[in-house]
Amino acid sequence: MSEHSTYTPGNAVEKWLDDRLPIIRFSKEHLMDFPTPKNLNYWWTFGAILVMCLVIQIVTGVILAMHYTPHVSMAFDSVEHIRRDINGGRMIQSFHAVGASMFFAAVYIHIFRGMYFGSYKAPREILWILGVLIFLLMMATAFMGYVLPWGQMSGWAATVITNIFAAIPVIGNPLLELLRGGFSVGNPTLNRFFSLHYLLPFIIAAIVVLHIWALHVPGNNNPVGVDVKDTKRDTLPFHPYYTMKDAFGMVLFLIPFAWFAFFAPDILGHPDNYIEFNAQVTPAHIVPEWYFLPFYAILRAIDFNILFIDSKLGGVIFFGGSILILFFLPWLDTSKVRSGNFRPMFKWFYWLFVVNFVALTYLGAAPAEGIYVVLAKICTAYYFIHFLVILPLLGRIETPRPLPTSISESVLGKAH
Amino acid sequence: MATQAHHSTTRRDFIFVATGAVAGVGAAATVWPLINQLNPDASTLALASIEFDISAIPEGQSVTIMWRGLPVFVRHRTQAEIDEAKAVPLADLKDPETDEQRTKEGHEQWLIMIANCTHLGCVPVGESGDFDGWFCPCHGSHYDSAGRIRKGPAPKNLVLPPYEFLSDTLVQIG
């Protein structure tokens, strides 16, 4: 949207720079003057909050790497060393560990906001796909980071998750040994996870740049979901209106963040991870971090063979499918109306999906026995039915409510 | 060259494709070592065979030893466990194997298996579960007294490592 540039170099130096590397012009266009719908609510501040989360993780992570030792005999102690001996290390480590949870909390809100307001619909499909890609990379990064403290949960998470790949027919076992660098999770595994855990956040940052680029081509979606028709009446410049709103959202978000980091840094983790990894004993209750629970519940729900596919591969297929299906969401939802506010039936099914997702989170942490097994199967089935049956059908049978003719009208009424 | 201008295929096209093919093979040959370094290294492979003295394990007890970084159960089974395992009809089994196939002839009391659940690799707990064998706490797989999968999400019996009895008390694994 370069046509919105109002930049004129203020002096000879700026003019000289603008002719060679128009970075000030670019920043002014995209960070300050960018026309942004004037009706964005606080759910839209999570994009900026997520950028803040990524920055916090990278800054604290680079510092932790200065004191951490990626070796099986020293990793566990080096994390304790960070927490006890390093100046301020206790807080830096807890901000990094809590930061992972907060990052996921924010990304789930961001994703569900996009789902409700139809932010994945044309012309924002690529924007959505890049977002799902970032989510996938976040999961990989968080998982590998979780392995680094080399506690019991770390080592067994590494064992269980790498074992998922062994379910792939034919190439499964060679692939498993390739990933682990041995016949079991050991020092080579820890070393490569550390290397990749350091690399992936920068890949995420690069894809975030593409994500924002893809956002700045069509511009923001908004709560009523109608396109910007008149830039003057429907939009406001990003700065100061949304820089301030985003900053306020960040401050609010930092309140629970700081509470966890200062007062309950371990409440989201597991006590077993303060026992060093022992390859001979698995903890009695092995559950992943809360942000993986819904997908973990889906993995566990498939405990029966499906035709020639055994239960293990079946679980992996559904587990992978539950995330990969998000890539196809823009085409599975057949309704032309973006915002859930104007879709009377979708609204109900949306909240049912949210409840179902929360239920999966609960079931992922519950023991795999009795009623929980049955419920996990029902919730897993509904997860897929939502995407594969309900969304495609709704677009055909639902009568949406009338849309406002413009963003301006939805904000100010029809008066003018 | 002028006479060739209207031909659909020229010698230049051939050179173009041939160059591309060479570059592709070269790229693959360059990338392979970068991936292959991830595979188990020489020091890991060097640990691939161990000897273990089983004489200290009394009947009804088991130990867990490490082989190639993997935990291995060595169980000295009671006669009751052996009889129970032999009495199971093969039709009841998800991954049918007889008790004879799970042990070495003349050493039926010794059950030697890799201790990772065939589902996702947790170490099952011994002398528990519904079949007097092992129970995996992670996702609820039950194994019987011959280490065969009976119930739960695991697809296969506990894996037997390659091993042989060097004498009545000495076993070589790997």
Side-chain angles (χ1 to χ4, degrees):
Chain A
M1 289 202 160
S2 51
E3 67 270 24
H4 301 290
S5 178
T6 55
Y7 175 67
T8 40
N11 55 46
V13 177
E14 280 187 27
K15 174 83 172 73
W16 182 87
L17 184 63
D18 196 50
D19 290 340
R20 286 157 182 81
L21 178 73
I23 192 166
I24 301 176
R25 176 184 298 277
F26 180 85
S27 305
K28 193 159 187 316
E29 279 172 24
H30 287 280
L31 300 175
M32 297 179 73
D33 294 346
F34 191 75
T36 312
K38 62 180 171 184
N39 58 343
L40 298 190
N41 56 35
Y42 274 103
W43 299 116
W44 260 263
T45 62
F46 279 88
I49 287 169
L50 283 162
V51 171
M52 176 184 74
C53 285
L54 182 60
V55 170
I56 290 174
Q57 290 308 89
I58 289 178
V59 171
T60 54
V62 168
I63 292 168
L64 291 173
M66 295 175 186
H67 304 284
Y68 171 79
T69 314
H71 187 278
V72 287
S73 63
M74 288 181 273
F76 185 81
D77 289 342
S78 74
V79 173
E80 287 311 302
H81 165 69
I82 289 168
R83 289 169 66 107
R84 291 154 197 259
D85 301 340
I86 306 293
N87 299 329
R90 185 174 72 89
M91 289 325 301
I92 296 166
Q93 194 272 342
S94 70
F95 265 91
H96 193 74
V98 168
S101 277
M102 298 308 291
F103 204 158
F104 274 96
V107 88
Y108 278 125
I109 293 172
H110 192 64
I111 291 169
F112 277 102
R113 186 271 288 158
M115 284 181 168
Y116 182 79
F117 292 106
S119 298
Y120 47 82
K121 293 183 187 181
R124 296 184 182 83
E125 300 96 325
I126 298 284
L127 173 60
W128 172 262
I129 287 168
L130 289 168
V132 178
L133 203 57
I134 293 169
F135 179 52
L136 263 179
L137 286 170
M138 277 176 64
M139 293 175 102
T141 310
F143 158 65
M144 288 194 265
Y146 190 59
V147 173
L148 302 184
W150 209 242
Q152 273 287 63
M153 296 308 262
S154 300
W156 288 104
T159 302
V160 168
I161 301 299
T162 51
N163 237 313
I164 286 176
F165 292 92
I168 301 168
V170 189
I171 60 159
N173 268 316
L175 182 64
L176 182 64
E177 285 177 11
L178 182 89
L179 289 172
R180 291 176 172 176
F183 305 107
S184 60
V185 168
N187 200 51
T189 325
L190 178 61
N191 261 290
R192 65 191 55 184
F193 278 17
F194 178 57
S195 171
L196 293 173
H197 183 70
Y198 206 122
L199 165 72
L200 286 183
F202 297 98
I203 308 249
I204 291 176
I207 298 181
V208 167
V209 170
L210 295 181
H211 191 63
I212 296 172
W213 184 2
L215 169 70
H216 278 207
V217 174
N220 293 72
N221 182 30
N222 65 83
V224 294
V226 299
D227 288 323
V228 169
K229 297 199 172 73
D230 178 346
T231 307
K232 267 207 176 61
R233 290 178 53 183
D234 291 345
T235 68
L236 293 166
F238 187 72
H239 178 77
Y241 295 94
Y242 286 108
T243 45
M244 287 305 115
K245 189 161 184 157
D246 285 346
F248 187 60
M250 288 181 199
V251 170
L252 291 181
F253 186 79
L254 283 172
I255 294 171
F257 196 139
W259 182 81
F260 278 118
F262 282 103
F263 298 107
D266 291 325
I267 203 171
L268 298 165
H270 302 281
D272 274 314
N273 219 26
Y274 288 96
I275 303 168
E276 195 167 0
F277 176 54
N278 176 355
Q280 296 195 352
V281 183
T282 307
H285 294 288
I286 176 161
V287 276
E289 294 292 86
W290 69 268
Y291 39 83
F292 290 140
L293 288 174
F295 304 105
Y296 189 67
I298 290 172
L299 172 73
R300 286 201 311 192
I302 312 300
D303 59 1
F304 47 89
N305 296 351
I306 306 163
L307 302 176
F308 59 91
I309 299 168
D310 71 35
S311 50
K312 181 173 169 180
L313 180 59
V316 172
I317 289 171
F318 275 76
F319 171 73
S322 65
I323 298 163
L324 295 183
I325 202 167
L326 296 173
F327 283 111
F328 300 96
L329 179 57
W331 296 276
L332 291 170
D333 184 349
T334 50
S335 172
K336 293 275 176 275
V337 177
R338 291 197 190 105
S339 173
N341 284 346
F342 301 96
R343 300 185 58 191
M345 291 170 75
F346 168 82
K347 207 186 270 186
W348 287 101
F349 285 108
Y350 172 82
W351 288 111
L352 200 56
F353 178 75
V354 174
V355 169
N356 187 64
F357 196 75
V358 173
L360 279 170
T361 307
Y362 176 78
L363 292 167
E369 58 195 32
I371 184 73
Y372 298 123
V373 178
V374 182
L375 287 175
K377 284 175 187 160
I378 295 171
C379 291
T380 299
Y382 187 76
Y383 181 93
F384 287 95
I385 289 170
H386 177 81
F387 287 111
L388 295 174
V389 179
I390 294 173
L391 286 183
L393 274 184
L394 274 187
R396 296 197 169 81
I397 59 177
E398 179 183 58
T399 314
R401 288 171 44 213
L403 292 171
T405 53
S406 72
I407 291 171
S408 169
E409 183 201 294
S410 76
V411 176
L412 301 170
K414 284 194 174 163
H416 43 182
Chain B
M1 291 300 283
T3 53
Q4 287 179 356
H6 58 275
H7 284 278
S8 56
T9 310
T10 65
R11 290 169 64 179
R12 180 152 301 214
D13 288 332
F14 172 77
I15 291 168
F16 195 68
V17 171
T19 310
V22 170
V25 171
T30 309
V31 167
W32 173 241
L34 302 179
I35 294 171
N36 190 36
Q37 54 80 23
L38 290 168
N39 270 317
D41 59 33
S43 70
T44 306
L45 296 172
L47 300 171
S49 176
I50 59 165
E51 286 180 9
F52 182 68
D53 182 357
I54 55 175
S55 59
I57 308 170
E59 188 175 311
Q61 303 260 320
S62 48
V63 295
T64 309
I65 59 174
M66 299 303 283
W67 170 66
R68 304 202 307 189
L70 296 168
V72 172
F73 288 141
V74 181
R75 175 151 184 89
H76 192 167
R77 296 192 295 174
T78 61
Q79 193 58 44
E81 287 173 338
I82 298 169
D83 293 343
E84 186 185 344
K86 288 192 169 168
V88 178
L90 282 188
D92 286 2
L93 298 172
K94 193 174 181 180
D95 179 17
E97 268 186 309
T98 62
D99 193 58
E100 287 73 23
Q101 288 171 302
R102 306 277 304 160
T103 53
K104 298 279 187 217
E105 205 180 339
H107 303 280
E108 279 89 2
Q109 71 273 39
W110 295 105
L111 188 60
I112 299 178
M113 325 177 280
I114 293 174
N116 292 113
C117 179
T118 56
H119 182 224
L120 292 174
C122 297
V123 178
V125 180
E127 291 168 61
S128 59
D130 296 351
F131 300 91
D132 299 317
W134 286 264
F135 172 70
C136 182
C138 290
H139 308 98
S141 291
H142 297 254
Y143 296 89
D144 68 13
S145 59
R148 294 173 297 198
I149 179 66
R150 300 298 292 273
K151 195 170 125 187
K156 298 278 180 205
N157 301 334
L158 287 176
V159 175
L160 307 177
Y163 70 95
E164 58 185 322
F165 283 88
L166 300 176
S167 69
D168 277 351
T169 56
L170 195 63
V171 178
Q172 180 185 304
I173 301 175

